[in-house]
Amino acid sequence: MDSTVEKHCVELVALGRSGHTAVLEGNTLHVWGGYMSTAESEVFLPSDEIWLYDLERGLWEMSQMSGEIPPPMSGTCSCFLIGHMYIFGGYDDTGQTNQLYRVNLLDGDYRWTNVKAESGSPPSPRDKLCCWVFNNRVTYFGGYGHKTLDDIMDDKSFIVDTASLEQNVGWGWNNEVHVFDTTLASWREPRSSETTPSDIHCLDLESWTWSEIVPISTLPGGRSWHSLTAVSDNTLFLFGGLNVDCKPMSDRWVLDVDTKTWREFDHPNNNKPRLWHTASQAKDSDVVVFGGSCDYVLLVGTYENLTGHSNDALVFQTQPYPLFRICVDCMAKNVNNCKMLQNQLPSLPRKLQEAVQRRTSRLI
């Protein structure tokens, strides 16, 4: 059952934003950074605060951050590893960056550390890249950034935007793969196979070879600024993005990588297109989508009818729920309107009783 997670604490709600980053720890979504477009300017959201969203109670909380605080920026890439959120890259007032930061999400201090490598060289400055975790290492792929023309000449993995050439520097997209080992604090760039991704590709993180996945079913339309989230060992969840006609999308697809088939699903959020949002895997293979733009971000603030950035949290169900969750959902929904159910709560098994109490404590 897809739904928009209700916000009962109207006094404290994260601002709408795009280009932010988010990770999920337990039942708490952690949201950091991003920007907002207005008629007057583009505003980066504060980098010394992190927003926490309790998915069970539907409540927001904001915590101040300290330490070596990153600059306010958008387009950074994040992951959750051993209790820490790592962020790399991004775009700030000075352009793209290649700095790596981490913050402990479990100790309650939210103190940033600028992570310095003991060996190896970081990727060139970039934003809009992706990353994933494997064996205590973070693998980064792609992104938009800049290099000197001398570096570009010998770099087949860098696609230059010819309109952006400026003196000795060129901007463009890349197909590079970089790995940061959090145990050794080291960077390396593994030599991957010559095949470079253009559509659906899989990268083997041991042999560093790319292989193309050729679907045998109907394909989703081409897009950018979408999200693609792993929800199981063989299933990927695709949502939203911007199509080739620069129209925001709200379609939902699931790819089975074993059978190489796409399936499109109807959902209640068809009227809520999103692009440059975040999507995080939650319990029971749910996907939590937060924020993003409801319109083409480059036009927000230009036309009065464009709705701009969102602060909705959308929850998508990708598989049947276990019986325990079905029971909790049903009781939490009906307990306040059913006297008999209220009287029987103390008789429930302790685990089920505590789960219902956590859910119903959000109501104010």
Side-chain angles (χ1 to χ4, degrees):
M1 172 172 54
D2 304 351
S3 63
T4 300
V5 178
E6 300 174 26
K7 303 178 185 66
H8 295 276
C9 186
V10 296
E11 293 83 4
L12 190 65
V13 176
L15 293 174
R17 63 192 68 200
S18 298
H20 53 289
T21 193
V23 299
L24 196 68
E25 189 283 314
N27 287 312
T28 304
L29 184 71
H30 298 74
V31 177
W32 180 84
Y35 85 104
M36 296 178 63
S37 296
T38 66
E40 293 77 25
S41 63
E42 294 183 348
V43 179
F44 289 106
L45 278 299
S47 59
D48 61 350
E49 61 184 42
I50 188 167
W51 286 84
L52 284 63
Y53 190 68
D54 187 320
L55 292 171
E56 286 192 328
R57 298 186 300 145
L59 297 178
W60 282 102
E61 175 186 352
M62 191 273 284
S63 291
Q64 291 294 141
M65 311 186 81
S66 60
E68 299 172 295
I69 300 173
M73 55 185 173
S74 66
T76 191
C77 182
S78 72
C79 65
F80 182 74
L81 174 62
I82 314 178
H84 291 78
M85 179 173 71
Y86 285 79
I87 67 168
F88 174 79
Y91 183 89
D92 60 28
D93 285 329
T94 63
Q96 284 91 5
T97 178
N98 64 351
Q99 295 298 300
L100 176 67
Y101 296 85
R102 74 177 180 187
V103 58
N104 191 321
L105 298 182
L106 303 181
D107 62 7
D109 288 340
Y110 301 109
R111 186 175 184 83
W112 283 107
T113 299
N114 187 191
V115 181
K116 302 297 184 182
E118 297 293 333
S119 62
S121 300
S124 57
R126 61 193 65 190
D127 68 336
K128 304 182 185 72
L129 67 161
C130 64
C131 68
W132 56 96
V133 173
F134 180 68
N135 286 346
N136 290 341
R137 297 190 295 266
V138 188
T139 301
Y140 295 92
F141 171 73
Y144 183 86
H146 62 274
K147 292 187 176 185
T148 66
L149 296 185
D150 291 337
D151 290 336
I152 294 172
M153 292 293 292
D154 300 323
D155 192 347
K156 296 181 181 180
S157 65
F158 193 83
I159 305 171
V160 182
D161 177 4
T162 56
S164 69
L165 293 176
E166 180 180 318
Q167 296 181 348
N168 193 40
V169 177
W171 277 261
W173 297 94
N174 73 81
N175 281 311
E176 296 172 356
V177 175
H178 295 264
V179 178
F180 183 76
D181 189 313
T182 59
T183 303
L184 302 176
S186 63
W187 283 103
R188 70 186 181 100
E189 185 178 1
R191 185 181 294 275
S192 57
S193 62
E194 291 298 322
T195 303
T196 54
S198 57
D199 293 309
I200 307 171
H201 279 69
C202 174
L203 177 64
D204 188 307
L205 298 183
E206 294 180 345
S207 65
W208 300 109
T209 55
W210 286 103
S211 58
E212 185 177 3
I213 299 175
V214 182
I216 59 174
S217 63
T218 302
L219 297 175
R223 67 195 66 202
S224 61
W225 278 335
H226 54 285
S227 58
L228 186 66
T229 310
V231 292
S232 73
D233 289 341
N234 64 344
T235 308
L236 300 173
F237 176 85
L238 170 69
F239 177 68
L242 193 73
N243 71 10
V244 294
D245 296 320
C246 292
K247 300 293 184 182
M249 308 179 75
S250 61
D251 54 340
R252 152 187 154 165
W253 295 75
V254 171
L255 172 66
D256 186 317
V257 297
D258 290 338
T259 62
K260 300 180 180 178
T261 55
W262 282 103
R263 289 181 299 155
E264 184 177 10
F265 292 88
D266 290 331
H267 59 92
N269 299 311
N270 276 321
N271 62 339
K272 296 183 177 180
R274 293 289 183 274
L275 58 108
W276 213 4
H277 51 277
T278 56
S280 308
Q281 182 186 0
K283 68 178 182 179
D284 302 325
S285 297
D286 280 352
V287 175
V288 181
V289 169
F290 174 73
S293 179
C294 311
D295 289 295
Y296 184 21
V297 292
L298 299 182
L299 297 179
V300 173
T302 305
Y303 299 102
E304 292 183 359
N305 62 332
L306 297 188
T307 54
H309 308 277
S310 168
N311 66 349
D312 282 344
L314 310 177
V315 179
F316 294 88
Q317 180 183 351
T318 67
Q319 67 177 27
Y321 286 148
L323 181 60
F324 181 87
R325 177 162 179 180
I326 294 174
C327 292
V328 172
D329 289 346
C330 181
M331 285 185 285
K333 181 179 180 181
N334 296 291
V335 66
N336 287 339
N337 300 318
C338 180
K339 189 67 174 179
M340 182 178 68
L341 187 56
Q342 294 174 19
N343 294 334
Q344 293 178 344
L345 279 180
S347 302
L348 293 174
R350 182 176 179 181
K351 183 178 179 181
L352 182 56
Q353 183 181 148
E354 291 176 347
V356 173
Q357 289 173 340
R358 283 196 301 272
R359 286 284 302 276
T360 55
S361 67
R362 68 184 182 178
L363 298 175
I364 58 174

